[in-house]
Amino acid sequence: MPVIEVSDLRKSYGDKKAVDGVSFGVEDGEIFGILGPNGAGKTTTVECVEGLRRPDGGSVRVAGYDPVADRDAVTRILGAQLQESELQPKITAGEALELYAACYPDPADWRDLAERLGLTEKLGTRFAKLSGGQKQRLSIALALVGNPRIVVLDELTTGLDPRARRDTWRIVEDIRDRGVTVLLVTHFMEEAQHLCDRIALIDQGRITALDTPAGLIGRTASSTAISFMPSVPLETRLLADLPAVGSVAEQDGRIVAHGTDETVHALLSLLTGQGVTAHQLRITEASLDDAYLDLTGTDR
C-alpha cells in the first residue's frame, strides 16, 4: 500500500478551483515529485497532505491516517519544509534545533543533523544572519529532527544559486538513502529530472501526466534534437521526409532537426549518400523541459 494516497482531491478558494480532482500514490522510500508552474495547485495539494488545509472533497491518507482527523499521528511520522517559513530573527540555529527536538518523544540527534547539513559552524548564528542557503538547510534539519518516516519539501531551492541548489540536491538524495520517503514540490525541471523516481505534472489544478522522468520524456513527439553545419549547402526539404522527423529548420547555416533515434540514423545515412559532412554535429536527448511543454502545451 502506498505510504501517501491522494484520491480525487479538490480544494477551492472562492470561485477558483486550486485543486480539481487530483489523485496519486507515493511508494515507501521513493522521491516523488510534484511539478508545475506557479499557481498550478502544487502547494495546496501538499498542504492537504500535511494537514494544514482541509480538502473540500476527495480523500488523503498518510500511512493510513487522515491528516486532519488524525493530526497527532501524522505529525509524528511526517516532517515538512514549507514554501515560506520564518523563525524569530534572534533565535540561533542551535536553539531552533534544540527547541524543535524537544517537541518529539524520540527526536533525532540534532547535533548530528547539523553536521550532516553543514550547519555545525552556524549553530551559534542568529536566524536573521544566516544566508539563504543556510536557512534552507536549517529548514530541512527542522523537518527531519522528529525522525519522520516521510518528509515534504516545498520549493526548497527557490532563490538559491546553482552551486547551493546542487548541494541541496545531494542532501535530498542522502535523506532518501536513509530510508525517508520524500514528497518534493518544485517548478524546476532540471531538479525534478535529477532527483525524482516519479513525477506528477500538475497544471491548473489537475494532473496532466504521471510517470518516471524517462517515461515522461519518452512520451514527447520529438525526443531527440540533431544539429549540424553541412559542408555544402543542403536543402532542408530533403530532411522533411525522414522517418519520425518532427521539424526541420535552418538558421545562419546551421540545420536543426527534431525527431527520434530512427531519425538520427536516417539523417546520417542521407548525408553520407549526398556526400555531405556534418560539421559541429550535436545530438541531444530531450529534457523534462521538452516533455513538460509537449505534454501540457503551456509555458512553465
Side-chain angles (χ1 to χ4, degrees), residues 20 37-38 53 61 63 70 84 90 100 155-156 175 205 211 218 289:
D20 188 15
N38 292 328
R53 294 194 184 276
R61 292 294 181 269
D70 306 313
E84 295 183 7
K90 293 185 178 181
Y100 274 55
E155 304 285 10
L156 80 164
I175 292 169
D211 207 334
D289 287 86

PDB file of all heavy atoms in Angstrom, residues 20 37-38 53 61 63 70 84 90 100 155-156 175 205 211 218 289:
ATOM      1  N   ASP A  20      -8.321  20.254  -8.503  1.00  0.00           N
ATOM      2  CA  ASP A  20      -9.562  19.805  -9.125  1.00  0.00           C
ATOM      3  C   ASP A  20      -9.490  18.332  -9.523  1.00  0.00           C
ATOM      4  O   ASP A  20      -9.232  17.981 -10.668  1.00  0.00           O
ATOM      5  CB  ASP A  20      -9.845  20.680 -10.353  1.00  0.00           C
ATOM      6  CG  ASP A  20     -11.204  20.431 -10.968  1.00  0.00           C
ATOM      7  OD1 ASP A  20     -12.043  19.797 -10.313  1.00  0.00           O
ATOM      8  OD2 ASP A  20     -11.419  20.878 -12.105  1.00  0.00           O
ATOM      9  N   PRO A  37       3.762  24.828 -13.050  1.00  0.00           N
ATOM     10  CA  PRO A  37       4.008  26.268 -12.995  1.00  0.00           C
ATOM     11  C   PRO A  37       3.491  26.859 -11.694  1.00  0.00           C
ATOM     12  O   PRO A  37       2.759  26.214 -10.933  1.00  0.00           O
ATOM     13  CB  PRO A  37       3.221  26.805 -14.198  1.00  0.00           C
ATOM     14  CG  PRO A  37       2.107  25.816 -14.366  1.00  0.00           C
ATOM     15  CD  PRO A  37       2.698  24.484 -14.016  1.00  0.00           C
ATOM     16  N   ASN A  38       3.882  28.102 -11.433  1.00  0.00           N
ATOM     17  CA  ASN A  38       3.362  28.807 -10.268  1.00  0.00           C
ATOM     18  C   ASN A  38       1.838  28.900 -10.370  1.00  0.00           C
ATOM     19  O   ASN A  38       1.287  29.179 -11.435  1.00  0.00           O
ATOM     20  CB  ASN A  38       3.960  30.211 -10.184  1.00  0.00           C
ATOM     21  CG  ASN A  38       5.444  30.186  -9.884  1.00  0.00           C
ATOM     22  OD1 ASN A  38       5.928  29.291  -9.199  1.00  0.00           O
ATOM     23  ND2 ASN A  38       6.177  31.162 -10.389  1.00  0.00           N
ATOM     24  N   ARG A  53      -4.366  22.170   5.437  1.00  0.00           N
ATOM     25  CA  ARG A  53      -5.618  22.623   4.829  1.00  0.00           C
ATOM     26  C   ARG A  53      -6.598  21.459   4.781  1.00  0.00           C
ATOM     27  O   ARG A  53      -6.198  20.307   4.582  1.00  0.00           O
ATOM     28  CB  ARG A  53      -5.396  23.174   3.418  1.00  0.00           C
ATOM     29  CG  ARG A  53      -4.561  24.443   3.394  1.00  0.00           C
ATOM     30  CD  ARG A  53      -4.635  25.143   2.069  1.00  0.00           C
ATOM     31  NE  ARG A  53      -3.745  26.300   2.036  1.00  0.00           N
ATOM     32  CZ  ARG A  53      -4.078  27.504   2.502  1.00  0.00           C
ATOM     33  NH1 ARG A  53      -5.281  27.697   3.011  1.00  0.00           N
ATOM     34  NH2 ARG A  53      -3.213  28.489   2.441  1.00  0.00           N
ATOM     35  N   ARG A  61      -4.654  10.071   2.642  1.00  0.00           N
ATOM     36  CA  ARG A  61      -4.194   9.189   3.697  1.00  0.00           C
ATOM     37  C   ARG A  61      -2.671   9.181   3.720  1.00  0.00           C
ATOM     38  O   ARG A  61      -2.030   9.041   2.671  1.00  0.00           O
ATOM     39  CB  ARG A  61      -4.711   7.752   3.491  1.00  0.00           C
ATOM     40  CG  ARG A  61      -6.205   7.596   3.661  1.00  0.00           C
ATOM     41  CD  ARG A  61      -6.654   7.863   5.093  1.00  0.00           C
ATOM     42  NE  ARG A  61      -8.090   7.683   5.278  1.00  0.00           N
ATOM     43  CZ  ARG A  61      -8.993   8.651   5.142  1.00  0.00           C
ATOM     44  NH1 ARG A  61      -8.591   9.867   4.800  1.00  0.00           N
ATOM     45  NH2 ARG A  61     -10.270   8.413   5.330  1.00  0.00           N
ATOM     46  N   ALA A  63       0.212   7.085   5.500  1.00  0.00           N
ATOM     47  CA  ALA A  63       0.432   5.846   6.253  1.00  0.00           C
ATOM     48  C   ALA A  63      -0.874   5.350   6.867  1.00  0.00           C
ATOM     49  O   ALA A  63      -0.900   4.829   7.982  1.00  0.00           O
ATOM     50  CB  ALA A  63       1.494   6.051   7.325  1.00  0.00           C
ATOM     51  N   ASP A  70      -6.587  12.684  12.103  1.00  0.00           N
ATOM     52  CA  ASP A  70      -5.537  12.010  12.877  1.00  0.00           C
ATOM     53  C   ASP A  70      -4.265  12.857  12.901  1.00  0.00           C
ATOM     54  O   ASP A  70      -3.157  12.364  12.674  1.00  0.00           O
ATOM     55  CB  ASP A  70      -5.230  10.635  12.268  1.00  0.00           C
ATOM     56  CG  ASP A  70      -6.472   9.780  12.127  1.00  0.00           C
ATOM     57  OD1 ASP A  70      -7.242   9.699  13.107  1.00  0.00           O
ATOM     58  OD2 ASP A  70      -6.677   9.204  11.044  1.00  0.00           O
ATOM     59  N   GLU A  84       7.190  28.859   2.412  1.00  0.00           N
ATOM     60  CA  GLU A  84       7.570  30.117   3.056  1.00  0.00           C
ATOM     61  C   GLU A  84       7.480  29.929   4.559  1.00  0.00           C
ATOM     62  O   GLU A  84       6.416  29.596   5.089  1.00  0.00           O
ATOM     63  CB  GLU A  84       6.656  31.262   2.619  1.00  0.00           C
ATOM     64  CG  GLU A  84       6.767  31.618   1.141  1.00  0.00           C
ATOM     65  CD  GLU A  84       5.886  32.805   0.776  1.00  0.00           C
ATOM     66  OE1 GLU A  84       5.310  33.416   1.705  1.00  0.00           O
ATOM     67  OE2 GLU A  84       5.780  33.100  -0.413  1.00  0.00           O
ATOM     68  N   LYS A  90      16.116  36.515  16.215  1.00  0.00           N
ATOM     69  CA  LYS A  90      17.246  36.425  17.140  1.00  0.00           C
ATOM     70  C   LYS A  90      17.542  35.009  17.623  1.00  0.00           C
ATOM     71  O   LYS A  90      18.544  34.789  18.308  1.00  0.00           O
ATOM     72  CB  LYS A  90      16.998  37.342  18.347  1.00  0.00           C
ATOM     73  CG  LYS A  90      17.007  38.825  17.988  1.00  0.00           C
ATOM     74  CD  LYS A  90      16.883  39.702  19.223  1.00  0.00           C
ATOM     75  CE  LYS A  90      16.945  41.179  18.848  1.00  0.00           C
ATOM     76  NZ  LYS A  90      16.849  42.070  20.042  1.00  0.00           N
ATOM     77  N   TYR A 100      12.876  22.459  18.618  1.00  0.00           N
ATOM     78  CA  TYR A 100      12.046  21.552  17.830  1.00  0.00           C
ATOM     79  C   TYR A 100      12.226  20.112  18.304  1.00  0.00           C
ATOM     80  O   TYR A 100      11.254  19.339  18.357  1.00  0.00           O
ATOM     81  CB  TYR A 100      12.400  21.662  16.346  1.00  0.00           C
ATOM     82  CG  TYR A 100      11.676  22.761  15.609  1.00  0.00           C
ATOM     83  CD1 TYR A 100      11.732  24.088  16.045  1.00  0.00           C
ATOM     84  CD2 TYR A 100      10.926  22.496  14.469  1.00  0.00           C
ATOM     85  CE1 TYR A 100      11.073  25.101  15.380  1.00  0.00           C
ATOM     86  CE2 TYR A 100      10.260  23.508  13.780  1.00  0.00           C
ATOM     87  CZ  TYR A 100      10.337  24.810  14.248  1.00  0.00           C
ATOM     88  OH  TYR A 100       9.679  25.807  13.580  1.00  0.00           O
ATOM     89  N   GLU A 155       9.417  23.614  -2.723  1.00  0.00           N
ATOM     90  CA  GLU A 155      10.221  24.660  -3.370  1.00  0.00           C
ATOM     91  C   GLU A 155      11.478  24.957  -2.562  1.00  0.00           C
ATOM     92  O   GLU A 155      11.829  26.107  -2.326  1.00  0.00           O
ATOM     93  CB  GLU A 155       9.386  25.943  -3.549  1.00  0.00           C
ATOM     94  CG  GLU A 155       8.083  25.749  -4.315  1.00  0.00           C
ATOM     95  CD  GLU A 155       8.272  25.575  -5.811  1.00  0.00           C
ATOM     96  OE1 GLU A 155       9.425  25.420  -6.254  1.00  0.00           O
ATOM     97  OE2 GLU A 155       7.268  25.572  -6.529  1.00  0.00           O
ATOM     98  N   LEU A 156      12.199  23.908  -2.166  1.00  0.00           N
ATOM     99  CA  LEU A 156      13.308  24.101  -1.239  1.00  0.00           C
ATOM    100  C   LEU A 156      14.510  24.813  -1.848  1.00  0.00           C
ATOM    101  O   LEU A 156      15.350  25.328  -1.116  1.00  0.00           O
ATOM    102  CB  LEU A 156      13.746  22.769  -0.648  1.00  0.00           C
ATOM    103  CG  LEU A 156      14.662  21.847  -1.465  1.00  0.00           C
ATOM    104  CD1 LEU A 156      15.274  20.801  -0.531  1.00  0.00           C
ATOM    105  CD2 LEU A 156      13.923  21.154  -2.582  1.00  0.00           C
ATOM    106  N   ILE A 175      18.854  12.007   2.281  1.00  0.00           N
ATOM    107  CA  ILE A 175      17.643  11.754   3.064  1.00  0.00           C
ATOM    108  C   ILE A 175      16.967  10.481   2.577  1.00  0.00           C
ATOM    109  O   ILE A 175      16.589   9.606   3.366  1.00  0.00           O
ATOM    110  CB  ILE A 175      16.671  12.953   2.952  1.00  0.00           C
ATOM    111  CG1 ILE A 175      17.253  14.190   3.645  1.00  0.00           C
ATOM    112  CG2 ILE A 175      15.310  12.604   3.555  1.00  0.00           C
ATOM    113  CD1 ILE A 175      16.479  15.463   3.357  1.00  0.00           C
ATOM    114  N   GLY A 205      -4.601  22.878 -11.536  1.00  0.00           N
ATOM    115  CA  GLY A 205      -5.274  22.061 -10.542  1.00  0.00           C
ATOM    116  C   GLY A 205      -5.505  20.614 -10.904  1.00  0.00           C
ATOM    117  O   GLY A 205      -6.123  19.872 -10.135  1.00  0.00           O
ATOM    118  N   ASP A 211       4.509   9.820 -14.340  1.00  0.00           N
ATOM    119  CA  ASP A 211       5.399   8.765 -14.830  1.00  0.00           C
ATOM    120  C   ASP A 211       6.791   9.007 -14.261  1.00  0.00           C
ATOM    121  O   ASP A 211       7.026   9.987 -13.553  1.00  0.00           O
ATOM    122  CB  ASP A 211       5.438   8.781 -16.360  1.00  0.00           C
ATOM    123  CG  ASP A 211       5.762   7.418 -16.962  1.00  0.00           C
ATOM    124  OD1 ASP A 211       6.414   6.601 -16.284  1.00  0.00           O
ATOM    125  OD2 ASP A 211       5.368   7.166 -18.116  1.00  0.00           O
ATOM    126  N   GLY A 218       9.977  10.143 -22.757  1.00  0.00           N
ATOM    127  CA  GLY A 218       9.704   9.227 -23.854  1.00  0.00           C
ATOM    128  C   GLY A 218       8.375   9.460 -24.538  1.00  0.00           C
ATOM    129  O   GLY A 218       8.155   8.994 -25.656  1.00  0.00           O
ATOM    130  N   ASP A 289      12.090  19.581 -19.668  1.00  0.00           N
ATOM    131  CA  ASP A 289      11.502  20.819 -20.190  1.00  0.00           C
ATOM    132  C   ASP A 289      10.693  20.531 -21.453  1.00  0.00           C
ATOM    133  O   ASP A 289       9.555  20.987 -21.593  1.00  0.00           O
ATOM    134  CB  ASP A 289      12.608  21.832 -20.527  1.00  0.00           C
ATOM    135  CG  ASP A 289      13.260  22.443 -19.313  1.00  0.00           C
ATOM    136  OD1 ASP A 289      14.207  21.841 -18.784  1.00  0.00           O
ATOM    137  OD2 ASP A 289      12.812  23.514 -18.890  1.00  0.00           O
TER     138      ASP A 289
END
